[in-house]
Amino acid sequence: MNTFEDLGYCKVDVQRESRTGFPEVIFGQGKTVAQIAGIFDRLLSHHGKAMVTRLGPGKAAQVMAAFPEARYDAGARILCQGGAKARFAGEVMVLCAGTSDLPVAEEAALTAEWMGCRVRRRYDVGVAGIDRLLAYRDEIARASVLIVVAGMEGALPSVVGGLTGSPVIAVPTSVGYGAHFQGVTPLLTMLTSCAAGVSVVNIDNGFGAAYQAAQIMRLVNEGAPHAAALS
Amino acid sequence: MNTFEDLGYCKVDVQRESRTGFPEVIFGQGKTVAQIAGIFDRLLSHHGKAMVTRLGPGKAAQVMAAFPEARYDAGARILCQGGAKARFAGEVMVLCAGTSDLPVAEEAALTAEWMGCRVRRRYDVGVAGIDRLLAYRDEIARASVLIVVAGMEGALPSVVGGLTGSPVIAVPTSVGYGAHFQGVTPLLTMLTSCAAGVSVVNIDNGFGAAYQAAQIMRLVNEGAPHAAALS
Amino acid sequence: MNTFEDLGYCKVDVQRESRTGFPEVIFGQGKTVAQIAGIFDRLLSHHGKAMVTRLGPGKAAQVMAAFPEARYDAGARILCQGGAKARFAGEVMVLCAGTSDLPVAEEAALTAEWMGCRVRRRYDVGVAGIDRLLAYRDEIARASVLIVVAGMEGALPSVVGGLTGSPVIAVPTSVGYGAHFQGVTPLLTMLTSCAAGVSVVNIDNGFGAAYQAAQIMRLVNEGAPHAAALS
Amino acid sequence: MNTFEDLGYCKVDVQRESRTGFPEVIFGQGKTVAQIAGIFDRLLSHHGKAMVTRLGPGKAAQVMAAFPEARYDAGARILCQGGAKARFAGEVMVLCAGTSDLPVAEEAALTAEWMGCRVRRRYDVGVAGIDRLLAYRDEIARASVLIVVAGMEGALPSVVGGLTGSPVIAVPTSVGYGAHFQGVTPLLTMLTSCAAGVSVVNIDNGFGAAYQAAQIMRLVNEGAPHAAALS
Amino acid sequence: MNTFEDLGYCKVDVQRESRTGFPEVIFGQGKTVAQIAGIFDRLLSHHGKAMVTRLGPGKAAQVMAAFPEARYDAGARILCQGGAKARFAGEVMVLCAGTSDLPVAEEAALTAEWMGCRVRRRYDVGVAGIDRLLAYRDEIARASVLIVVAGMEGALPSVVGGLTGSPVIAVPTSVGYGAHFQGVTPLLTMLTSCAAGVSVVNIDNGFGAAYQAAQIMRLVNEGAPHAAALS
Amino acid sequence: MNTFEDLGYCKVDVQRESRTGFPEVIFGQGKTVAQIAGIFDRLLSHHGKAMVTRLGPGKAAQVMAAFPEARYDAGARILCQGGAKARFAGEVMVLCAGTSDLPVAEEAALTAEWMGCRVRRRYDVGVAGIDRLLAYRDEIARASVLIVVAGMEGALPSVVGGLTGSPVIAVPTSVGYGAHFQGVTPLLTMLTSCAAGVSVVNIDNGFGAAYQAAQIMRLVNEGAPHAAALS
Amino acid sequence: MNTFEDLGYCKVDVQRESRTGFPEVIFGQGKTVAQIAGIFDRLLSHHGKAMVTRLGPGKAAQVMAAFPEARYDAGARILCQGGAKARFAGEVMVLCAGTSDLPVAEEAALTAEWMGCRVRRRYDVGVAGIDRLLAYRDEIARASVLIVVAGMEGALPSVVGGLTGSPVIAVPTSVGYGAHFQGVTPLLTMLTSCAAGVSVVNIDNGFGAAYQAAQIMRLVNEGAPHAAALS
Amino acid sequence: MNTFEDLGYCKVDVQRESRTGFPEVIFGQGKTVAQIAGIFDRLLSHHGKAMVTRLGPGKAAQVMAAFPEARYDAGARILCQGGAKARFAGEVMVLCAGTSDLPVAEEAALTAEWMGCRVRRRYDVGVAGIDRLLAYRDEIARASVLIVVAGMEGALPSVVGGLTGSPVIAVPTSVGYGAHFQGVTPLLTMLTSCAAGVSVVNIDNGFGAAYQAAQIMRLVNEGAPHAAALS
């Protein structure tokens, strides 16, 4: 039996959910509307749910013409249908540093929710007004996983990392100018953070951070797998 | 009551274990032997255990003169004393791509063990001989968290990410030459991985990867915190 | 006798086919329609065939008005007329990692075919779902030359390089975002590949990869030249 | 009358004190002992004080053989003799993020003192343990100028900038590894800080930060110059 | 009592003026018109004045529809209402190297004026015609703070720094081409200036330079704060 | 049956010769003497021949103590024993631009010979004295594969590529200074070559170029594989 | 008497011709039409000639409405009026590597002519077809100054530099893609050229190269200045 | 007749003097003592003079053992014997910004003298003390060619370029630290200089600047070649 369905331009990985717990998600950028719709259709028929990321409003409208039940969020540029059947216990907290980081934060929040997480959003809590962040110190300490989104200099994950014992997944954004280099600066900041327990995903990759957060929440809810005997 | 102990050159964060679950670890690079020994002494007296990373053999010998019970691993450049009282259920798997990546892989493995994780090591399983990796496909699928260490082009996490539903923490190493730029190339490779569920830490930062892995294992073993009511 | 024909803005290298086995190909980017048509005309008249790469649809339509027998492929951005008289024995395999890499893969495939190669296409076989690639393991082992096209982190050539004893020519693409830097990341990945036998061409340069593949196929079909006596 | 004294290899700017308020300081790196001693001698004879920065212990010992009254600080790599006659009212606060940043912080502190400033040092107050910094919130609010020194991700100036209405001069240090790039990362972090009122100097340039701090303190103590009539 | 007002998408820092002497300023880039208008309204009501930077003419017109008393400068891309009640004694001098640097210079000049500074403008005084700059040597020597704006190679601050004892805040601009890299070259030039007393802000950040200049002018006019007792 | 032999620190790929035509080669950099000797021993016993690249003279002497029949070339930093049983018909030509590029050129030449190629060396034929290169124009036209090694600006492959119809594999070297960036400049030069049919390997990677050259020569000598039926 | 005329937004350097031999030229990029026209008018009235570089066709048409005698070249983006009264003896040769480099080559050629040089143009003589270049070997050897314009890998100046004893001024262009980085690659190539006697100007800076060529031709025609006595 | 003499490791270009006016010069870096001595010997015998650049004192002593009449300058790292028979009329002026730039300035000065130029040295005239430079304004205006050497921010050529009508050749040096990047910053500064008539050579390439200066002086002294008839 084959593990994928071959559309010629795409080999749909129909066993990914059984193999990894979550179905394939469509990366919308650089694909034609016909390609997206084709893959969306196959994923829906296999899993009863499907999601597309990085999809602009023009293409989204065309795809939705064929899938009237799909929902589209223009800020997060996510189109999806269906979703997780149940919610994991525990909470994923999504923080962002500035108002301009909202689209990326929402990409993370919507993805995490679609994958079955409860999400707590706290936005515009950048470190230059530290009291805004400290007002949520208690919530930060009680979150299971924290997704911390920041553009400009990207300092927020370092401070959050020191306020929690839970894993922090940092997301640099392309919000800034000049020596910010479309997000390279906060990316480097986060990679060199003096706070232990911070890992990093690509610039503007709210989706990726949410994906790993959901993996962790699934693990926490289902327990560690029974490991193979150590040879 | 103060949250830190002030040594002048250092403010030891003595409440970090109660705040985040794990005590402060000493970053050895750029500190004098006297500074390291001073902080090591304070951490030992507060927590009954202490660890120093990035410590060369010369300095290590000097520090050990004062702490004869400490253990030193020259490959991983870690000096430590004491450790976690119990082991978390579940397994952290540490994979590395080539023989030359061993020191970083061992930094990760020893740190994870010191923090209470069970560790499964599989080394030299780089993607250019894919059968070496696929021989462990079953083990990969059953690990709770995977730390994937790779120099050269850093492709290993992308393949591993497709074989597991558990979180993958990727560690680029400085092993390589030319267009490898002391680890920048595998760092970029890992950040742009087409596999979802991969997050990344700094070049050669086996410690950081292990730290987040231990945070996840603690969460899995202790369960999600009881979240604050959502305002 | 002159080795080139001088159009003022261009010196057409009319002896290249006799010197190197293949005629000059027009690099369309940055040239005006009049310049392209002028050179196309001269090449056609000398060789009975001509090809233009990197040509957008607008310009292509204008050029085709003058050359109604020319064919244009909008995805690959190639316009050509005529082609090789015979096909080389053996097979060039063109693989690409994702659906979005198709245009570059097609630039390679069409160029190779125009130059006389038989081409086998296998698309969307990226390493994050390794079973998709392994499904073609037998074909990979029997190809004469492999052109491996990949954006994102560009890991595919490293895996393919370990599955074949034939030369692999890797083509990074500009498909990606953030720390991908318009193709710089897969370029670096491919240059530092741990698989021996992988060489690399410029970002999005499907043409260049196909050109070298055709050179190899010609050599295989015509045999090694009779070398000069070694002084 | 000439504004400089010509030593051939150096033109000593003997009027700089009268023109700018402070005498020339010798940048020790890349100069021979003979050159340093020669310039030091001329500055001493003109101003009754002299300072050399970036001077290693070996060269320092040689220079001090000729100037027995000079003082040398090996951490800060500063050699000086004499100093300001009076202290400015108000306070320059020097903060640093980690123990390893001390040499640069001391370069700043000693320079500022030599130029006539009162200096308050608070070291190892990095943002990953934010309570260490907040313990000095009151002092921060009352400093006239703040020099904030940080390696690793360089986030400290952004937090400090939000706690004060006084100018913050940020100094990135070369303390870090991997994606830190010998200080480039904290440099970029500081340049893109979301806190207004932060300006930046070169990596490890504690001297430059102190110099501008002293200029500000002089201005505060002497009052704004009587401006020329606006044409 | 809370230190900020929560608009959901933004937490307005209403205590910043009492904490730092100046109210929050809105960074217009990446915010929607509704968000800008919402924050502008809250700032106006708290402080009686408000300012937005990096605001294009299209958005500005929409915001002004709701705030008819606001003023907009299209060159500097600043929209503001109200301003400082009094002018500080002393003078901020704004110099720029070329005609093309005017927009950034005006961003600095207008910001400084809005914050209460007297501003002297001297534009197009780049170093390749040094006599243009030297014609203002006397004015330069008498300014309290100098903001020096330059694109191209950014050499102007080095020369100005040698003509004054007052602090120089350098602003690189994105005016240039080729190896200028959108302002990176003058940024690096200014960071490595051989003139002491020069600090630097981000590319095109006229606002940031003016903000620090105003902080210094406030300090000069109000005197150094009464420092805490040194523990 | 397993495809590799597990030494713990290394999984020796003992089937690579049957799978790809050539046995595994040991990358010496970053491995201990014990590791190198261990792998060398296993490869020798499986294939009757073995090779180590990037091996300094100190380590080489230690390894040779255990393998007295091994040969070591200090310039090329290659240690090997045994070699190909027969020579391929046709010729690999190795050209280098300057005298300082010799070590890399020799790494390529010796590797190609060990793998069964006939090699023609032409060194110090850089383009600034074009007559030196043109003196070998005839030989260039008759070579089967050309390995072109160049540091400095790396222009040689572009000229050679225009003189031959055979594949050119370009090797940038780290010979140069300043804006050469340890080989990055010739690497970029070669990637952007205006000559079609040029592919590139990593900086100083003479081994990799020779490996692909030998793959091509094997293909030319053995003929194209019988391809699978095209589905 | 003043050395410049102050227009507020610009200080026109009216003495430059007497000081340096050639009048100021207007850099059109980033200036408004009104500013350009204002400066053009002043230069015309002082020198009887004026030139604007980097001027797009839209702005050019507006400027020409006020200066009907001005000439505009859309390829070179130069607008000028008047010119040198006499031609220097000797010849400036302008070579370019490819058809796409013509606009930059023409910027150089027109500037040199406007400044009084005789210009010989040889275009599309890139090194991948070396015979095209060698056809002009005799002309190259007899030119007084050579301006060599090249995009892609920028190898042409290295070859030309070896064919002449006259100074070569190299101009990299932004023609290329991928690892060409908008001209950075040929810039680096030219800076690291193995041919002595090659100097380099900024990417696409045909104007700058021509300016220096004209300075040299003036020197050759007028003879070396009578130097000051050596002190 | 051959145009070069083949030493195997080197093809000595014995016709370069007749072709370009000056003999080949040996680039010492990366060559063995035996290679250098061998080439030196051949050049001496052909031209009666020879020069080696970038030669450290250890190797120099070994080479001089065989050539007792050779002279060595340790600062400039130049070894030479013989020299130009006559001096060109006119003057090459070598300026440098700081004392630490002397070795590069001397490399330029000694090379120019060896090639037949008269040289005027003015050192330590950096722009932060502009009066030091302006003291030589008259000399600058009368020099035939100016070589301007500067590390740090590299601003000096921009100012000098505005004071002369003669060509300025700028040489960035590796003197600096932090954001200076071993000379990249002054290199970029010089390439983007707002002064027309400035061309640039590689970092620390005093030799290259002097070589072009000598070419110009030869041209000025010998007059423009009689150009070929323009076809």
Side-chain angles (χ1 to χ4, degrees), chain F residues 78-135:
Chain F
I78 283 181
L79 183 146
C80 64
Q81 186 164 338
K85 297 208 182 69
R87 289 283 160 120
F88 298 125
E91 210 173 75
V92 173
M93 189 171 189
V94 179
L95 300 119
C96 79
T99 300
S100 306
D101 299 317
L102 251 90
V104 177
E106 278 298 302
E107 187 188 86
L110 292 177
T111 298
E113 288 174 341
W114 187 80
M115 293 177 78
C117 301
R118 293 172 213 276
V119 174
R120 184 182 293 257
R121 292 159 169 88
R122 291 294 176 214
Y123 293 167
D124 195 29
V125 291
V127 302
I130 196 75
D131 296 316
R132 297 179 301 182
L133 180 68
L134 296 175

Side-chain angles (χ1 to χ4, degrees), chain G residues 13 16 19-22 89-91 119-122 136-139 141-145 161-169 187-188 191-192 194 196-202 205 207-208 211-212 215-221 223-231, chain H residues 13 16 19-22 89-91 119-122 136-139 141-145 161-169 187-188 191-192 194 196-202 205 207-208 211-212 215-221 223-231:
Chain G
D13 187 352
R16 191 174 298 184
R19 204 171 71 240
T20 70
F22 300 104
E91 212 174 74
V119 174
R120 182 182 295 257
R121 293 160 168 88
R122 291 296 177 213
Y136 303 105
R137 191 164 182 163
D138 192 50
E139 290 181 15
R142 286 195 276 173
S144 293
V145 181
L163 300 173
T164 178
S166 291
V168 171
I169 306 173
L187 171 63
L188 297 177
L191 285 165
T192 58
C194 55
V198 174
S199 68
V200 188
V201 296
N202 197 1
N205 190 8
F207 165 73
Y211 194 98
Q212 193 176 76
Q215 286 180 319
I216 295 171
M217 294 311 292
R218 191 174 71 106
L219 203 63
V220 173
N221 279 263
H226 187 73
L230 198 59
S231 66
Chain H
D13 188 352
R16 192 174 297 183
R19 203 171 72 238
T20 69
F22 300 105
E91 209 173 76
V119 175
R120 182 182 295 257
R121 294 160 167 87
R122 292 295 177 212
Y136 303 104
R137 190 165 184 162
D138 193 50
E139 291 180 14
R142 285 194 274 173
S144 293
V145 182
L163 300 174
T164 177
S166 291
V168 171
I169 306 173
L187 171 64
L188 297 177
L191 284 166
T192 57
C194 55
V198 174
S199 68
V200 187
V201 295
N202 197 2
N205 190 7
F207 165 75
Y211 194 98
Q212 194 176 75
Q215 286 180 317
I216 296 172
M217 293 311 291
R218 189 174 73 106
L219 203 63
V220 173
N221 279 263
H226 186 73
L230 198 59
S231 66

Side-chain angles (χ1 to χ4, degrees), chain C:
Chain C
M1 193 203 73
N2 227 336
T3 67
F4 56 86
E5 189 174 331
D6 197 342
L7 307 182
Y9 58 83
C10 177
K11 314 217 176 316
V12 185
D13 188 351
V14 296
Q15 291 197 331
R16 191 175 298 185
E17 190 170 34
S18 68
R19 203 171 73 238
T20 70
F22 301 105
E24 194 180 341
V25 169
I26 307 169
F27 180 73
Q29 180 183 313
K31 293 200 177 68
T32 65
V33 167
Q35 290 170 339
I36 292 168
I39 309 171
F40 198 84
D41 175 74
R42 301 319 304 140
L43 289 172
L44 259 187
S45 101
H46 279 283
H47 307 291
K49 62 188 168 192
M51 186 163 88
V52 192
T53 61
R54 302 205 151 232
L55 190 68
K59 280 183 175 178
Q62 290 179 268
V63 176
M64 291 182 79
F67 301 91
E69 291 173 53
R71 313 179 292 280
Y72 180 65
D73 185 293
R77 295 193 301 156
I78 283 179
L79 183 145
C80 63
Q81 185 165 336
K85 298 208 181 70
R87 288 284 159 120
F88 299 124
E91 210 174 75
V92 172
M93 189 171 190
V94 178
L95 299 118
C96 79
T99 301
S100 306
D101 299 318
L102 251 89
V104 178
E106 278 299 302
E107 186 188 86
L110 292 176
T111 299
E113 287 174 342
W114 187 80
M115 293 177 78
C117 302
R118 294 172 212 279
V119 174
R120 183 181 293 258
R121 292 159 168 88
R122 292 294 177 213
Y123 294 166
D124 195 30
V125 292
V127 301
I130 195 76
D131 296 316
R132 298 180 299 182
L133 179 69
L134 296 176
Y136 302 105
R137 189 165 184 162
D138 193 50
E139 291 180 14
I140 289 168
R142 285 194 276 172
S144 292
V145 181
L146 298 103
I147 296 174
V148 185
V149 178
M152 305 297 277
E153 85 276 57
L156 187 56
S158 294
V159 180
V160 172
L163 300 174
T164 178
S166 292
V168 171
I169 307 172
V171 189
T173 78
S174 54
V175 172
Y177 66 96
H180 175 270
F181 301 122
Q182 286 81 53
V184 171
T185 291
L187 171 63
L188 296 177
T189 300
M190 293 167 182
L191 285 166
T192 57
S193 175
C194 55
V198 175
S199 69
V200 188
V201 296
N202 196 2
I203 298 164
D204 290 336
N205 190 7
F207 165 74
Y211 194 99
Q212 193 176 76
Q215 286 179 318
I216 296 171
M217 293 312 292
R218 191 174 71 106
L219 203 63
V220 172
N221 279 263
E222 301 183 357
H226 187 73
L230 199 59
S231 65

Side-chain angles (χ1 to χ4, degrees), chain A residues 19-21 89-91 119-120 122 137-139 141-145 161-169 187 191-192 196-202 207-208 211-212 215-220 223-231, chain B residues 19-21 89-91 119-120 122 137-139 141-145 161-169 187 191-192 196-202 207-208 211-212 215-220 223-231:
Chain A
R19 202 170 74 238
T20 69
E91 211 172 74
V119 174
R120 182 181 296 257
R122 293 293 177 215
R137 190 165 184 162
D138 193 50
E139 291 180 16
R142 286 195 275 173
S144 292
V145 181
L163 299 173
T164 177
S166 292
V168 171
I169 306 171
L187 171 62
L191 284 166
T192 57
V198 174
S199 68
V200 187
V201 296
N202 196 2
F207 165 74
Y211 194 98
Q212 192 176 77
Q215 285 180 319
I216 296 172
M217 294 311 292
R218 191 175 71 106
L219 202 65
V220 173
H226 186 73
L230 198 58
S231 65
Chain B
R19 202 172 73 239
T20 70
E91 211 173 73
V119 174
R120 182 181 296 258
R122 292 294 176 214
R137 191 165 183 161
D138 193 51
E139 290 181 16
R142 285 195 275 174
S144 292
V145 181
L163 300 173
T164 178
S166 292
V168 171
I169 306 172
L187 171 63
L191 285 166
T192 58
V198 174
S199 68
V200 188
V201 295
N202 197 2
F207 165 75
Y211 194 99
Q212 192 176 77
Q215 286 179 320
I216 295 172
M217 294 312 292
R218 191 174 72 106
L219 203 65
V220 173
H226 187 72
L230 199 58
S231 66

Side-chain angles (χ1 to χ4, degrees), chain B residues 2-66:
Chain B
N2 228 335
T3 66
F4 56 85
E5 189 174 330
D6 197 342
L7 307 182
Y9 58 83
C10 177
K11 313 217 177 317
V12 187
D13 188 351
V14 296
Q15 291 198 331
R16 192 175 296 184
E17 189 170 34
S18 68
R19 202 172 73 239
T20 70
F22 300 104
E24 193 179 343
V25 169
I26 306 169
F27 179 73
Q29 180 182 314
K31 293 199 177 68
T32 65
V33 168
Q35 290 170 340
I36 292 169
I39 309 172
F40 198 84
D41 175 76
R42 301 320 304 140
L43 289 172
L44 260 187
S45 98
H46 279 283
H47 305 293
K49 63 189 168 190
M51 186 163 88
V52 192
T53 62
R54 304 207 150 230
L55 190 69
K59 280 184 176 178
Q62 290 178 270
V63 175
M64 290 182 78

